[in-house]
Amino acid sequence: MSYRRSQARQTAIQRRKALRASFVYAKVRTRKLPTFVRDAIFQNCVFQLSALLEDYLLDLTSQWLSGLTAGGAANSAMPLLTRALFAARSQEELHRRFIALGDETELAIGTSQQLTAFGLLRDNDPMPVLDLVGKLVKDKKFPSIHNLDVLFRRLGRPKMIQALSKRTKTNAELALRAFMDVRNVLAHEDPLSITDVDVGRYFAQIESWIEGIDREFYGHVVKTSGAQYWQ
């Protein structure tokens, strides 16, 4: 089955198009706009592109997870590793409290209240309604190199950065790290001077990364769950 864009990618494309309009406006008005105004627009583009990528990752993964539940999929439509990780993470706070307090009764009661999470391990049962996004996605949606690899490994698609490099024929790890370093310096240190050439490159990179991730994850979803769960 041929690839089709996810809803998340289509939303990201529209946001990128609107953002690029402000970038082009500032880029061509070298005399009409004061330098500090153009710099502020360019810096804002970096923040907005980072947020766009972050929102795309959240939308892409959460739409798949929620679609499985809404579509009545069997648990086997999600990788066993993903299901097991969800069950394990559902127990984290219980086990922290047990290690700190040693209360076996509290541990047993809390575990009994989490039986639905363990039900995910039964392949043929229909997938229950659980906060999959909260446990598996939200803490890793910020688009750092580490988070990107961990997020997709959790969902059964390891080595996403390597796959992205191969698909884009670039060093995606180096380029994404450089982009996020600029974003973080702008957020936490003195503002950098960013040229229109820099920002134009960031626009192209974000577009390329989203396309690459979308295609890679499409293949994973079709193989794991079926094309009907690609949104």
Side-chain angles (χ1 to χ4, degrees), residues 47-215:
F47 282 117
Q48 292 299 322
L49 285 170
S50 173
L52 187 156
L53 180 57
E54 180 174 350
D55 290 344
Y56 164 76
L57 294 172
L58 175 62
D59 290 346
L60 177 71
T61 52
S62 62
Q63 285 169 7
W64 174 53
L65 294 173
S66 61
L68 291 173
T69 302
N75 289 328
S76 58
M78 185 189 298
L80 179 59
L81 174 71
T82 306
R83 292 179 275 147
L85 179 62
F86 178 87
R89 296 202 70 200
S90 298
Q91 303 295 302
E92 282 182 313
E93 184 58 31
L94 280 174
H95 286 277
R96 287 196 190 98
R97 289 183 59 83
F98 176 69
I99 291 170
L101 304 174
D103 189 334
E104 293 181 347
T105 301
E106 181 186 52
L107 176 64
I109 293 172
T111 299
S112 69
Q113 294 171 343
Q114 297 285 343
L115 293 180
T116 304
F118 289 105
L120 277 173
L121 303 179
R122 293 191 291 269
D123 285 352
N124 296 324
D125 285 5
M127 195 171 293
V129 178
L130 295 165
D131 185 16
L132 299 170
V133 175
K135 292 292 184 186
L136 298 173
V137 176
K138 285 190 175 179
D139 65 330
K140 296 300 178 186
K141 63 185 178 69
F142 182 74
S144 67
I145 294 294
H146 172 74
N147 284 354
L148 198 65
D149 262 343
V150 172
L151 173 60
F152 286 103
R153 184 171 67 245
R154 285 179 176 181
L155 301 179
R157 180 57 179 90
K159 299 182 179 180
M160 178 60 83
I161 292 293
Q162 290 184 21
L164 192 56
S165 293
K166 183 177 180 180
R167 183 171 286 279
T168 60
K169 296 180 174 59
T170 64
N171 188 329
E173 178 176 354
L174 183 63
L176 177 56
R177 193 183 302 279
F179 171 73
M180 293 307 295
D181 283 348
V182 171
R183 183 262 178 214
N184 292 334
V185 168
L186 289 174
H188 304 295
E189 302 177 27
D190 292 334
L192 292 170
S193 177
I194 304 175
T195 69
D196 56 18
V197 175
D198 295 327
V199 180
R201 182 175 68 254
Y202 297 148
F203 270 98
Q205 287 175 334
I206 293 293
E207 181 180 25
S208 176
W209 295 335
I210 288 177
E211 178 183 2
I213 292 170
D214 216 61
R215 289 179 177 275

Side-chain angles (χ1 to χ4, degrees), residues 23-35:
F23 162 64
V24 172
Y25 179 89
K27 176 183 176 180
V28 301
R29 286 166 174 78
T30 55
R31 296 182 179 179
K32 290 186 177 180
L33 291 178
T35 299

